[in-house]
Structure formats: structure tokens, C-alpha cells
């Protein structure tokens, strides 16, 4: 039930919030794909989602810099909290 709710919620959130907040352009679309990957899995999933988009429509250097760095930062922050 939770996975079903997450599967429905994440694409809607990425389309209506992440895409709009990031600027409604191509980089925002690739960032939204990466956000879906992070929400449904981990960094490799987000990179695979972004690669699928960029292989078809062209590169987005900004997205490939932002998504993995933000994920690494948030993961490190959460690990520090769990070991404190």
C-alpha cells in the first residue's frame, strides 16, 4: 500500500513541484527525472533515469552535478544523525 502511494505521489510531485521550482526548462526536466529516481531508490537509480533522458534529448551538465552532490550531502547528514 505504501509503495503504491509512493509510486503515484512521486511523479506528480516531480512534475508539479520540482519541475516548476527548478525553472520549467530542460535542466528542470532532467532534475525531475533524477528526483524520481532518488525517491524510488537511490543515487544509481536517479543517474539511470537522468541518463535515459539525456541519451535521447542531449546532455544536462547541471543536473548531473546537482543530483548526486545533493544526495551525497543528504546521505552523509542522515548518517551523522543516526550515529550520534
Amino acid at each position: 500500500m505504501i509503495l503504491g502511494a509512493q509510486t503515484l505521489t512521486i511523479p506528480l510531485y516531480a512534475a508539479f513541484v520540482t519541475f516548476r521550482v527548478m525553472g520549467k526548462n530542460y535542466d528542470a526536466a532532467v532534475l525531475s527525472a533524477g528526483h524520481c529516481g532518488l525517491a524510488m531508490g537511490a543515487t544509481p537509480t536517479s543517474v539511470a533515469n537522468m541518463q535515459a533522458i539525456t541519451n535521447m534529448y542531449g546532455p544536462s551538465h547541471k543536473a548531473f552535478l546537482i543530483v548526486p552532490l545533493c544526495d551525497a550531502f543528504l546521505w552523509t547528514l542522515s548518517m551523522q544523525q543516526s550515529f550520534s
Side-chain angles (χ1 to χ4, degrees):
M1 180 152 163
I2 292 174
L3 184 59
Q6 184 177 3
T7 302
L8 294 174
T9 305
I10 294 304
L12 293 173
Y13 187 86
F16 292 111
V17 178
T18 306
F19 180 70
R20 292 180 189 332
V21 169
M22 291 298 139
K24 291 185 186 179
N25 56 17
Y26 178 68
D27 288 323
V30 178
L31 282 165
S32 296
H35 181 219
C36 287
L38 284 175
M40 297 302 286
T43 305
T45 310
S46 68
V47 172
N49 283 357
M50 293 189 302
Q51 280 180 342
I53 301 291
T54 57
N55 285 343
M56 187 173 287
Y57 298 109
S60 173
H61 303 291
K62 190 183 296 185
F64 276 94
L65 181 67
I66 293 172
V67 172
L69 283 176
C70 288
D71 183 44
F73 173 74
L74 292 173
W75 188 81
T76 303
L77 188 64
S78 69
M79 293 307 290
Q80 285 179 349
Q81 294 294 329
S82 65
F83 289 119
S84 295

